[in-house]
Amino acid sequence: MFEPRTPTASPQDTAALPSAGTLEPGRSLHEFLVDKGVITPAQLDIAQRKQRALLLQGRRLEVIEILIRDRFVTKEQISVALEHSDESRTGGVLQALLPAHLCQRLMVIPIKVEQDVLHVRAAQRLTEAQQRLILNACVRPVTRLRVVAADRVELRNRVYEVASDETSVAAMIERLRQAEMSSSALKQLIDAMLTEAVLARASDIHLDSKADPDSWVSYRIDNDLQQRHQVPHRIMAALFIRIKMEGGMDASDSLRAQDGRMGFEFQGRPVDLRLASQPIAGGETLTMRVLDPESMPSLDSMFPAQPDMIALFQSLAQVHGKNGGLIFISGPTGSGKTTTLYAIAQRFARDRVNVVTVEDPVEYLLPFARQIQINQLLNQRTQDVERSVLRQDPDVLIFGEIRDADSARAAMKLTESGHLVLATVHSVTAIQIYERLIAFFDEGSRPDALYIMAHYLRLMINQRLIPRLCDCARPATQTDLSSIKRRLVDTGVSPGPVAQLRIKVGCARCNGRGYYGRVVAHETIVIPNVEDLRIEIGDWLIKNPNQFHQVRKMQGVRYTSRANSIERLLHAGLIDADTARRAVGI
């Protein structure tokens, strides 16, 4: 990230931020965020102290970068707070105005030329000499420079895109086809592949080692598996050995499944990779789960056009005292359960609230949270951890997954002792969360579980991730409306006013698919902490333990169907009718 400063160019040449988020000369971005209430003074103090400690180690990080890494603020929150002018959003399509090597050296991206003024985005202050260098290097004749403050991380990504293709994955594979294999060349290829995957927003990298020509590198992007690079078997076999060695696996064993973990540095920040190899017919496959904290979406981007859900998450994060509570997030594998769990966890003021997680394994590192990984090698169980974790004085407990009776009992006990407990569960519907949890308890202990569920259950979410329309989508017309209505017949989703609907198109950004990123389609049950309502629910469940579906109809309980959440996304122009129809039937 950056700390906006007034460039050395004249004031009239410096792009100003809008009035709601204007940064006065000499005023830093983090001070602005404190004033706007996006971060607290205590969080800023922590980041500044960490910056000083890093400087003593010879490492320099901007305060804003530290705040983002420690999950005190997200890039989306900063963007909303700043409310950038339309001009600062330009540059979606880079114009070839400056040499790529100069963009890399000075960390700038050209936006456009208007008359004799070159507009650039910069992540840091430019000296007068640097500004003259840029003006002289521009391929169009210009006499003045206008500088727009830019997000440092985003700018690094854009600079990478315009860099020379000499270090691309395809180019490296081609060189290795014709050259001797070397350790340094393999390392460069791995780094290039990992960098390409992170920039492409890949959640997983799949490597298949088979006889030629069936060895491939594939990326999973927005839940679609894309075959990216065909690799000669001898190169792929060498890649397997190198990756296994770095991941702490047995490189000589290709006949049994193995797990490992490795990391690499991407543009100055660490990215973790979880590895899993598996013998397959004709060879071996290796999956690398990319755990990049900075690419993890925020709640605002996952639940767009749903301010009530964002307000709900924010209220849950306001932990005051030990009042207890159960929050469950469910869905099938790949539905974003863990992502939502971590996004909620980021909302807690972890510098003031003791957040403890119990996971198997720990996926994302959450700064200022105490993360416990269950050690399967020592036959450690969730109930064993539960006994010791209470001595750590927790306020919030996060279970990576409720998968057996032990973890279910531990969650219930911790809730009853006054802790807010968040967990994920595999289920198809929100109602099935309750059914699955109760099934973990035998007849003797079930009444106690029902009592705890009735008095402490606060939120149940069942979710799916569905494709989000790319920005290239066009507004729907009256001609499109009849087709949209036909697609939505019998779905329970209303098409709404035609002015709000959009039709997919396809562009270079989305590779012609028309979709870019994903959003959550959810079914949600919210139970307010009202004593009379809790007593009513408790009485009902004791008498009718198998009819939790009636609870969602009780006065005061807020129920959002999946069709309703999909309808909101459709009306906001975030998804199209085809996606809405498929999502309702999930």
Side-chain angles (χ1 to χ4, degrees):
M1 293 294 295
F2 65 93
E3 294 182 20
R5 307 178 182 93
T6 304
T8 54
S10 59
Q12 64 266 27
D13 291 337
T14 303
L17 295 169
S19 57
T22 299
L23 299 181
E24 300 170 1
R27 188 186 185 200
S28 66
L29 176 58
H30 49 257
E31 291 170 336
F32 168 78
L33 295 176
V34 170
D35 290 345
K36 289 295 181 181
V38 180
I39 61 174
T40 67
Q43 290 167 343
L44 174 57
D45 178 62
I46 289 171
Q48 289 173 328
R49 282 188 283 168
K50 288 186 72 171
Q51 183 190 48
R52 290 193 291 271
L54 289 169
L55 281 173
L56 293 175
Q57 300 173 14
R59 300 170 57 195
R60 174 164 180 79
L61 279 181
E62 300 292 342
V63 170
I64 289 298
E65 287 188 275
I66 296 172
L67 288 166
I68 290 176
R69 288 187 178 193
D70 286 350
R71 315 291 191 279
F72 288 140
V73 67
T74 65
K75 288 188 289 185
E76 289 87 354
Q77 289 173 306
I78 293 174
S79 297
V80 170
L82 284 172
E83 299 178 357
H84 280 221
S85 64
D86 290 338
E87 185 177 24
S88 69
R89 293 195 188 101
T90 59
V93 178
L94 177 69
Q95 300 180 31
L97 298 172
L98 293 173
H101 67 86
L102 184 64
C103 293
Q104 288 181 294
R105 182 152 65 91
L106 300 182
M107 286 301 293
V108 297
I109 284 289
I111 301 173
K112 60 183 177 181
V113 171
E114 283 184 344
Q115 297 178 348
D116 64 341
V117 181
L118 171 63
H119 298 248
V120 300
R121 302 176 69 194
Q124 59 190 1
R125 178 179 177 179
L126 297 173
T127 66
E128 291 184 8
Q130 289 171 333
Q131 292 183 48
R132 284 196 300 272
L133 186 62
I134 291 171
L135 291 174
N136 293 333
C138 185
V139 298
R140 305 233 333 241
V142 290
T143 60
R144 291 189 299 154
L145 187 68
R146 189 166 188 176
V147 181
V148 179
D151 178 295
R152 181 181 294 273
V153 175
E154 178 188 354
L155 197 66
R156 284 173 178 165
N157 292 350
R158 298 292 291 124
V159 167
Y160 176 87
E161 291 174 11
V162 300
S164 169
D165 287 335
E166 289 301 307
T167 57
S168 70
V169 175
M172 287 186 171
I173 292 172
E174 190 57 37
R175 283 202 295 271
L176 283 171
R177 285 178 189 268
Q178 305 169 14
E180 288 289 329
M181 201 79 64
S182 70
S183 177
S184 61
L186 281 174
K187 177 62 175 172
Q188 290 175 3
L189 175 56
I190 292 171
D191 288 345
M193 178 182 67
L194 298 178
T195 299
E196 182 181 75
V198 172
L199 289 174
R201 302 176 298 109
S203 61
D204 298 271
I205 305 169
H206 294 266
L207 289 79
D208 295 312
S209 180
K210 291 185 172 183
D212 291 328
D214 294 325
S215 290
W216 283 86
V217 174
S218 311
Y219 301 149
R220 184 175 293 281
I221 303 171
D222 294 337
N223 208 37
D224 288 336
L225 200 60
Q226 301 179 13
Q227 314 295 321
R228 281 296 183 97
H229 304 288
Q230 194 277 325
V231 183
H233 179 256
R234 71 177 185 89
I235 299 175
M236 184 64 82
L239 281 176
F240 266 59
I241 292 173
R242 180 67 186 246
I243 292 171
K244 282 184 174 182
M245 289 175 62
E246 290 196 21
M249 303 158 74
D250 185 350
S252 65
D253 189 351
S254 61
L255 300 179
R256 64 184 179 92
Q258 298 185 66
D259 293 326
R261 205 162 185 128
M262 63 179 282
F264 84 108
E265 190 171 281
F266 172 73
Q267 298 180 347
R269 71 174 190 269
V271 174
D272 205 16
L273 298 154
R274 201 173 73 211
L275 313 179
S277 68
Q278 175 69 49
I280 57 174
E284 188 178 13
T285 187
L286 177 66
T287 300
M288 311 172 73
R289 170 62 57 88
V290 181
L291 303 172
D292 179 12
E294 284 202 18
S295 69
M296 189 167 61
S298 66
L299 289 171
D300 301 84
S301 63
M302 295 178 69
F303 294 85
Q306 300 180 72
D308 56 330
M309 289 296 292
I310 301 303
L312 171 64
F313 292 135
Q314 190 60 39
S315 67
L316 292 171
Q318 305 302 318
V319 178
H320 300 291
K322 290 182 167 58
N323 299 317
L326 281 169
I327 299 171
F328 292 110
I329 303 164
S330 71
T333 301
S335 61
K337 300 186 299 296
T338 302
T339 302
T340 300
L341 192 66
Y342 272 92
I344 295 174
Q346 288 184 185
R347 294 269 175 156
F348 292 105
R350 282 161 284 109
D351 56 322
R352 293 183 288 108
V353 175
N354 188 11
V355 177
V356 178
T357 76
V358 180
E359 304 169 78
D360 179 23
V362 170
E363 295 208 18
Y364 294 97
L365 293 178
L366 190 62
F368 293 95
R370 281 78 181 176
Q371 295 177 270
I372 301 170
Q373 177 162 320
I374 297 175
N375 195 330
Q376 299 290 2
L377 294 177
L378 300 178
N379 294 319
Q380 190 177 34
R381 297 180 302 171
T382 307
Q383 64 181 12
D384 300 324
V385 175
E386 176 255 325
R387 296 188 186 99
S388 63
V389 80
L390 286 176
R391 302 188 185 99
Q392 305 304 315
D393 184 34
D395 296 300
V396 179
L397 285 139
I398 298 176
F399 280 89
E401 183 182 344
I402 302 292
R403 61 178 67 179
D404 52 32
D406 284 347
S407 53
R409 278 193 292 268
M412 296 292 184
K413 286 182 180 179
L414 291 165
T415 301
E416 194 174 24
S417 60
H419 301 89
L420 180 63
V421 176
L422 296 83
T424 67
V425 182
H426 282 288
S427 75
V428 178
T429 66
I431 297 297
Q432 200 181 87
I433 296 174
Y434 165 84
E435 296 171 349
R436 183 165 174 78
L437 288 168
I438 293 302
F440 284 131
F441 296 90
D442 56 34
E443 292 296 329
S445 57
R446 192 164 296 171
D448 289 339
L450 290 172
Y451 175 87
I452 294 171
M453 291 281 283
H455 287 82
Y456 294 103
L457 185 59
R458 299 175 66 176
L459 173 65
M460 305 169 80
I461 300 176
N462 180 267
Q463 67 178 51
R464 303 291 192 279
L465 291 175
I466 60 176
R468 178 175 185 156
L469 281 171
C470 180
D471 291 340
C472 65
R474 66 171 176 83
T477 64
Q478 283 294 344
T479 306
D480 298 312
L481 189 57
S482 59
S483 173
I484 291 172
K485 287 181 176 178
R486 283 197 303 272
R487 289 185 177 94
L488 297 176
V489 169
D490 301 327
T491 63
V493 176
S494 164
V498 68
Q500 298 173 324
L501 306 175
R502 294 202 301 157
I503 307 296
K504 75 171 184 176
V505 176
C507 65
R509 179 174 182 251
C510 62
N511 293 320
R513 296 174 61 249
Y515 303 104
Y516 188 87
R518 292 183 289 173
V519 290
V520 172
H522 65 93
E523 179 190 12
T524 301
I525 300 173
V526 183
I527 303 177
N529 194 21
V530 177
E531 186 176 358
D532 290 344
L533 175 60
R534 296 287 181 176
I535 292 172
E536 181 184 357
I537 293 173
D539 292 342
W540 173 261
L541 291 181
I542 293 297
K543 296 175 184 176
N544 308 278
N546 297 320
Q547 296 189 37
F548 184 82
H549 61 279
Q550 295 295 337
V551 170
R552 71 183 186 187
K553 301 176 184 178
M554 291 181 178
Q555 186 70 30
V557 175
R558 196 175 92 207
Y559 174 69
T560 302
S561 68
R562 196 182 316 280
N564 182 260
S565 72
I566 291 168
E567 188 172 273
R568 291 189 194 182
L569 296 171
L570 181 71
H571 291 181
L574 297 166
I575 63 173
D576 59 11
D578 287 336
T579 299
R581 182 170 189 84
R582 288 193 298 269
V584 169
I586 289 176

